Structures are given as C-alpha cells and as structure tokens.
C-alpha cells in the first residue's frame, strides 16, 4: 500500500504598507508565499505549486499576485529596510562628491560649529 498526497506550506515574506484594493484603506499587507508539495508516506518530496498573495490586515481581503510582482514588492521592502525607501544605491551622495548633508566638505568628523 502506497500512501501519497499533498501538503501546503505558508511563508510570510514581508509586511508592506499598501492601499487595499478591497476596502481602499492604506493599511499593512502581508506578502505570503504558498507552496504545495507532493508527499509520499507523509514525507514532502517536491513542490508542484507556488502562489503569491497579499492580504490586508484591516479588512482581511486577499489578492493573488504574479511571481514577478511579488519579487518586486520584496525588493522594495528590502530597500526600505536598509533605510533607503527609493531603492537607490547606498553611498549615492559620496559618489558624486556631495558628502554627508549638513556637514562640512571634510566629512562628518569635522563639525563646522566647533573649533
């Protein structure tokens, strides 16, 4: 006798602030990845279905999204977590000779108000 079946796994990838398509409120949304795996004798062997979705924490509405959009949202979230909400490369100001804003051209070690 062979026992086989499927098992679903749900991974929470990120928590994003988006405008909900269901209720219209700007609220936190969880970005989720659902993976369904084939099992043999209750041992998961390989995934055969992967789906991505966002769920509003305000109204509970869930929207399926394509993999490309999920990867884009995840990249934006990762850039925002690094203190860089627009996804620009770190050190952008130094590369163009601007230095740190609010500091003298010598760098943050030299405070222009202290001698």
């Amino acid at each position: 006798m062979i026992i086989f079946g499927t098992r679903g796994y749900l991974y929470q990838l990120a928590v994003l602030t988006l405008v909900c398509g269901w209720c219209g409120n700007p609220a936190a949304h969880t970005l989720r990845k659902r993976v369904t795996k084939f099992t043999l004798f209750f041992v998961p062997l390989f995934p055969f279905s992967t789906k991505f979705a966002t769920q509003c924490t305000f109204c509970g509405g869930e929207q399926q999204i394509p993999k490309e959009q999920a990867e884009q949202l995840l990249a934006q979230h990762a850039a925002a977590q690094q203190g860089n909400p627009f996804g620009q490369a770190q050190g952008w100001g130094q590369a163009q000779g601007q230095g740190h804003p609010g500091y003298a051209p010598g760098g943050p070690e030299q405070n222009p108000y202290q001698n």
Side-chain angles (χ1 to χ4, degrees):
M1 176 181 220
I2 297 176
I3 300 174
F4 65 94
T6 62
R7 169 132 191 222
Y9 297 88
L10 188 62
Y11 302 100
Q12 181 172 318
L13 302 177
V15 178
L16 311 163
T17 302
L18 303 170
V19 176
C20 181
W22 294 96
C23 65
N25 289 317
H29 286 69
T30 56
L31 177 60
R32 296 180 175 179
K33 176 181 176 181
R34 181 180 307 271
V35 179
T36 305
K37 294 186 178 183
F38 177 78
T39 60
L40 182 64
F41 294 107
F42 304 104
V43 177
L45 296 177
F46 57 88
F48 70 89
S49 173
T50 302
K51 296 181 181 179
F52 294 89
T54 58
Q55 184 177 19
C56 178
T57 58
F58 186 79
C59 70
E62 187 170 328
Q63 181 178 3
Q64 298 285 330
I65 60 173
K67 180 181 179 180
E68 294 79 22
Q69 186 178 1
E71 289 173 350
Q72 181 183 18
L73 288 171
L74 198 57
Q76 289 175 355
H77 176 70
Q81 289 296 89
Q82 295 173 358
N84 193 1
F86 301 109
Q88 297 171 345
Q90 293 291 335
W92 180 78
Q94 289 85 6
Q96 295 191 356
Q98 294 176 354
H100 295 281
Y103 287 100
E109 301 84 27
Q110 298 176 356
N111 187 341
Y113 301 109
Q114 293 178 347
N115 290 334

